[in-house]
Amino acid sequence: MKIYKTNFPGCKKNELVSELKRFSKIFKDRPIKNNKGGMRFEHMFATYFILKKVRPPVVIESGVFKGQSTWLIEKTLPKSKIISIDIDLKQRKYISKNAKYSNLDFKYHDFSNLPSNSLVFFDDHVSHMERIQQAKFFNIKNIILEDNYRSYKGDFYTLNHALKSSGFNHKLGKLSLFKTFFLFFKEFLKKLLFSQYYFSIDILKSRIRDVKPQKNDRNNLINIIDIYFEFPSVRKIISKKMNIPLGELKSYNYITYLRLL
Ligand SMILES: C[S@@+](CC[C@H](N)C(=O)[O-])C[C@H]1O[C@@H](n2cnc3c(N)ncnc32)[C@H](O)[C@@H]1O
């Protein structure tokens, strides 16, 4: 695994600065002005930069929410095919004419015949370990992990957690615990009442998310990752002239690009 710390493989530092200036203008046209719970400026810039470098013919997006990332992918790569997945597509405020939408989880698709340089963008807060294994299964080599929280931070098992063997313990508030219990009860009841009902383990997994520290995850990952690049925070090189709202600069979480072997 080759780790790149400050810049995308093969890029010069001034490229980052000139692209940042260009992106700050594009950003003004974003469809969702307040994207609380979704992507903000720094991660949007990182995604824009990586997409421009990789130029994938197909981009699969998992985790659409209001649609800011769909707009960003479309704006950055107008000629690429976009497949946008969210288990709850009702949240969309921006709906692209160019994206193909699906509410079927990534792992249930047939992505076996994608062009070789395709890319998957994961912003669905599902375990990175599982998502990387699934991408490997479909032979998708380019991956963007939108949030790559450090140990003991975040709300799901990330690549950083796996590489540090810290596991992930999902802390649930009282309300959240109640909701989880209610969902479990509903599923269980349906299973009991209807002989043909399929218990949705995905629903429960999306609530619990615990992963015990696993000693083999790190090695298994290192063996399949070729390039690891944590996109740096650009906060320090953002000038006042760019006029980026302060609220847009508060959620940098080590967005990461991976190239699998
Ligand atoms: C952080 S938001 C995505 C933000 C979005 N990319 C943006 O640009 O603002 C996470 C989204 O993941 C969706 N989600 C949760 N589980 C999912 C799954 N298994 N597959 C796809 N999407 C999922 C949620 O419904 C939610 O809309």
Side-chain angles (χ1 to χ4, degrees), residues 165-256:
S165 307
S166 63
F168 177 69
N169 189 273
H170 196 195
K171 302 269 181 291
L172 296 171
K174 273 190 193 132
L175 199 71
S176 190
L177 256 174
F178 183 74
K179 197 172 163 192
T180 306
F181 177 73
F182 178 73
L183 282 169
F184 180 80
F185 185 71
K186 216 169 93 183
E187 286 298 300
F188 191 72
L189 208 63
K190 283 187 195 164
K191 182 78 192 157
L192 215 66
L193 296 176
F194 309 110
S195 62
Q196 275 307 304
Y197 187 74
Y198 295 95
F199 193 101
S200 177
I201 204 73
D202 283 347
I203 291 186
L204 292 176
K205 274 183 78 178
S206 77
R207 304 287 314 164
I208 304 284
R209 304 182 189 176
D210 284 0
V211 179
K212 246 184 155 178
Q214 296 295 338
K215 67 175 171 47
N216 294 322
D217 279 1
R218 180 185 160 80
N219 248 355
N220 287 335
L221 284 164
I222 286 174
N223 285 337
I224 60 164
I225 297 173
D226 181 17
I227 292 172
Y228 178 107
F229 171 56
E230 250 179 37
F231 205 94
S233 169
V234 288
R235 206 174 162 164
K236 287 195 178 131
I237 53 171
I238 291 173
S239 71
K240 277 211 172 109
K241 266 204 253 161
M242 292 178 188
N243 225 351
I244 309 297
L246 211 64
E248 287 287 339
L249 303 175
K250 285 184 178 157
S251 46
Y252 171 76
N253 289 315
Y254 313 97
I255 180 167
T256 296

Side-chain angles (χ1 to χ4, degrees), residues 35 37-39 62-65 69 86-87 91 105 123-124 131:
N35 197 28
M39 284 184 99
S62 184
V64 174
F65 190 41
S69 43
D86 200 299
I87 50 166
Q91 306 169 94
D105 189 276
D123 189 12
D124 52 20
R131 286 311 195 200

